[in-house]
Amino acid sequence: MVMTEVLDKLKELQDVLAEKNNVEAEIKQSPGVLSSQEELLARLKKEYIEKDNKYQKIKKDIVHLQAELFEAENSREKAEKAMDTITTQREYEALDKEIKDASEKEQTLRKEIQKLERQYQDLDEELKKDESLIQHQEQELEQRKSQLSDEISKYNAQLEELKKAEERLSPGIDPETKFKLERIIKSKHGVGIVAIHGNVCTGCHMILPAQFANEVRIGDKIVYCPYCSRILYYVETAEGENEFFNNDDAGSLSDLDDFEDDDEDADEIDGEDLDGEKMDYED
């Protein structure tokens, strides 16, 4: 296979591999889409339980206070009836104090009961709203899970088609070149093969040495940019056309130290081959 055909296959393979990476990333990230909804639902349920515990406690407190109020009322009524049978001033003063104490306790208990009943009613309304919200969130989460399952199924089907396309394009391409291309594409956001215009790499916009650029023009082997590590091919430009590059976007030899595979144990591709030996830029 002549080098131009290899480069054409590599360009086509680049598109397939880039799309494959995108689909795999979508599949990997898909479960995370639900995490925020699941966290929200868990928080709502936790808050609901806390409110319900408070609600039940207030309910018990009201019952307890109502029992105390009943006793205070009975005590006052009993003392009032006893007023009809007293014979001494001392008895009168004792009963009068008992009636006043019982009356004050009644007032205090009634105020406390009213306060708790308002809290009880407010919590009751909040709990009903929370129940409705939780139910809505649960339904929404189940729908999203179902949708996500369908999306993942579509992604998997798409991934299978891309794998078939990858298998169709791989014959005739050196396995090591394909391996390097895959790593370059992951590191360089889907772009692993770029043209040079004049002496300029269009991937990193760095000016290449004339002799090096000439090797790309000859096109008899795979050549990697010494700055950004992308595979290069030559595109003829208009005669006399000046080549410019943007310093802000320009790569540098330091890229060779930073270009690593996403996997922890992957070899570096940055002007050196994957075994750490200097590239000879040959296929």
Side-chain angles (χ1 to χ4, degrees):
M1 185 182 296
V2 296
M3 189 53 59
T4 54
E5 293 177 348
V6 173
L7 287 171
D8 287 341
K9 289 191 73 174
L10 286 173
K11 292 175 192 175
E12 191 174 353
L13 182 60
Q14 170 183 243
D15 295 336
V16 172
L17 292 175
E19 183 62 21
K20 179 183 169 185
N21 288 340
N22 291 337
V23 173
E24 287 175 340
E26 290 291 342
I27 292 174
K28 185 178 180 180
Q29 294 171 5
S30 291
V33 175
L34 299 176
S35 62
S36 59
Q37 283 184 281
E38 289 174 334
E39 289 173 3
L40 173 61
L41 182 58
R43 187 169 66 252
L44 288 173
K45 287 183 176 181
K46 181 181 178 182
E47 291 174 354
Y48 178 87
I49 291 172
E50 291 173 352
K51 286 182 182 179
D52 186 63
N53 289 338
K54 185 177 180 181
Y55 176 83
Q56 297 300 332
K57 182 179 182 304
I58 291 175
K59 184 177 180 180
K60 290 180 180 179
D61 289 344
I62 291 174
V63 172
H64 178 72
L65 291 174
Q66 285 175 335
E68 285 190 33
L69 177 61
F70 180 77
E71 290 178 2
E73 288 175 340
N74 282 342
S75 177
R76 174 182 54 78
E77 291 173 355
K78 183 178 180 181
E80 288 175 345
K81 290 179 179 179
M83 278 288 191
D84 296 335
T85 62
I86 60 173
T87 58
T88 66
Q89 181 66 24
R90 179 176 292 180
E91 288 178 333
Y92 173 81
E93 290 176 353
L95 286 174
D96 185 61
K97 184 177 184 303
E98 186 178 340
I99 292 170
K100 288 180 180 179
D101 290 344
S103 297
E104 289 177 0
K105 187 175 182 180
E106 285 181 51
Q107 292 179 2
T108 300
L109 289 171
R110 285 195 179 95
K111 288 180 180 179
E112 186 63 24
I113 290 172
Q114 289 174 354
K115 177 183 175 182
L116 290 178
E117 284 178 339
R118 286 194 296 269
Q119 293 179 6
Y120 182 82
Q121 185 176 357
D122 290 343
L123 280 172
D124 184 63
E125 293 176 359
E126 288 181 23
L127 286 170
K128 289 177 181 177
K129 290 179 181 178
D130 288 349
E131 286 175 1
S132 177
L133 181 58
I134 289 172
Q135 185 179 9
H136 174 74
Q137 288 293 327
E138 286 177 334
Q139 291 175 349
E140 191 175 271
L141 183 59
E142 287 304 314
Q143 290 175 357
R144 189 67 189 96
K145 284 182 179 179
S146 178
Q147 292 173 358
L148 188 60
S149 178
D150 292 340
E151 289 175 6
I152 292 176
S153 296
K154 290 179 182 178
Y155 283 139
N156 285 326
Q158 187 179 357
L159 188 59
E160 288 303 313
E161 292 301 317
L162 290 168
K163 287 180 179 178
K164 290 178 182 178
E166 180 183 353
E167 292 175 0
R168 175 177 57 81
L169 293 168
S170 294
I173 297 177
D174 179 61
E176 183 179 355
T177 300
K178 180 175 178 289
F179 176 80
K180 292 177 181 179
L181 178 63
E182 290 175 342
R183 297 303 183 265
I184 294 168
I185 288 173
K186 286 184 178 180
S187 174
K188 302 300 182 181
H189 308 291
V191 181
I193 306 174
V194 295
I196 64 168
H197 290 168
N199 288 5
V200 177
C201 169
T202 58
C204 61
H205 308 293
M206 291 297 291
I207 296 177
L208 305 172
Q211 184 177 354
F212 185 86
N214 191 51
E215 293 182 14
V216 181
R217 292 189 187 93
I218 294 172
D220 60 354
K221 59 185 177 181
I222 298 294
V223 181
Y224 298 86
C225 175
Y227 298 102
C228 69
S229 302
R230 294 179 175 94
I231 296 174
L232 301 173
Y233 64 92
Y234 181 70
V235 172
E236 192 70 41
T237 57
E239 186 177 354
E241 179 181 345
N242 291 324
E243 298 293 347
F244 299 95
F245 66 95
N246 186 335
N247 284 325
D248 293 335
D249 296 330
S252 68
L253 288 176
S254 64
D255 286 345
L256 305 181
D257 296 326
D258 297 333
F259 177 44
E260 297 180 351
D261 175 35
D262 293 338
D263 300 327
E264 292 180 356
D265 57 350
D267 297 323
E268 294 183 354
I269 310 172
D270 42 37
E272 295 183 355
D273 66 16
L274 299 176
D275 297 322
E277 298 177 355
K278 195 67 178 179
M279 285 186 186
D280 57 8
Y281 305 107
E282 293 183 359
D283 187 8

